Amino acid sequence: MQERFIQFILEEKKEGKTILLSSHIFSEVDATCDRIAIIKDGVVVSTIEAAKLKHNTNKTFKIEFATKKDYQQFLARTKFKIPVERPDQNQVKLNLTDETMQRLFTELSEVSIRFISEIKFTLEDYFMDFYDRKKSIAAGEENLEHGVH
């Protein structure tokens, strides 16, 4: 049914119709909406063009170093702010822009890594930036009281 719903919305958009969709289902919003508004406590707190969200120049990377020594060497020398450190796994997560990507790879060339992967920024991530992530996760909330349009 969800796929049929999405196809219906897309067909109506092709006909030139404007559709206002209120949904907590991020995949539906992501697949169908051109503009997105976040509502919190009855107030629009953000609007964004869906294309800008999909082509975000801010990136998050997860890096695992080959050894504890490589991990510690990177932390000691890096100029990047590291929001997440996982010393037991020799891993870090960090946020970059397209402009700072080259600097990261220059720093990484001085150590051995096991892997690096980009963590894609999603509509849900954008939405959750307006809410208390820790509170929502701790409470096990899957459906928040407020909508994405």
Side-chain angles (χ1 to χ4, degrees):
M1 283 306 290
Q2 184 180 33
E3 184 59 36
R4 289 178 64 193
F5 171 75
I6 290 171
Q7 288 304 317
F8 172 75
I9 296 295
L10 293 175
E11 288 170 16
E12 294 299 305
K13 281 177 59 177
K14 282 182 187 174
E15 297 290 322
K17 295 181 181 174
T18 299
I19 300 158
L20 177 63
L21 172 68
S22 176
S23 177
H24 292 98
I25 304 171
F26 296 109
S27 60
E28 288 177 354
V29 174
D30 200 35
T32 60
C33 296
D34 298 321
R35 294 183 52 204
I36 300 164
I38 308 286
I39 298 175
K40 181 177 182 181
D41 300 326
V43 176
V44 174
V45 294
S46 177
T47 59
I48 189 167
E49 299 289 326
K52 286 183 182 177
L53 190 60
K54 290 177 184 175
H55 302 293
N56 188 355
T57 60
N58 296 319
K59 311 277 189 241
T60 300
F61 284 92
K62 178 179 180 181
I63 306 165
E64 183 173 312
F65 297 87
T67 67
K68 179 68 77 184
K69 181 180 175 185
D70 291 310
Y71 170 78
Q72 291 170 338
Q73 183 178 339
F74 177 79
L75 288 179
R77 294 182 181 175
T78 190
K79 295 190 178 18
F80 287 101
K81 179 182 175 197
I82 310 292
V84 178
E85 295 180 26
R86 295 197 174 116
D88 56 320
Q89 298 172 324
N90 299 327
Q91 293 179 354
V92 297
K93 282 188 185 177
L94 52 91
N95 303 314
L96 307 171
T97 62
D98 286 344
E99 295 78 29
T100 59
M101 193 94 53
Q102 180 64 40
R103 194 174 97 214
L104 172 67
F105 288 106
T106 299
E107 287 188 19
L108 290 175
S109 70
E110 298 175 13
V111 295
S112 295
I113 63 171
R114 184 164 287 130
F115 72 82
I116 182 171
S117 62
E118 181 181 355
I119 301 169
K120 295 291 184 183
F121 187 74
T122 66
L123 173 58
E124 183 174 3
D125 295 323
Y126 182 75
F127 176 82
M128 292 305 293
D129 284 344
F130 296 92
Y131 290 86
D132 184 355
R133 285 179 180 260
K134 292 176 186 165
K135 181 179 174 185
S136 296
I137 292 168
E141 295 175 1
E142 291 185 24
N143 295 315
L144 298 174
E145 296 176 8
H146 309 287
V148 173
H149 299 273

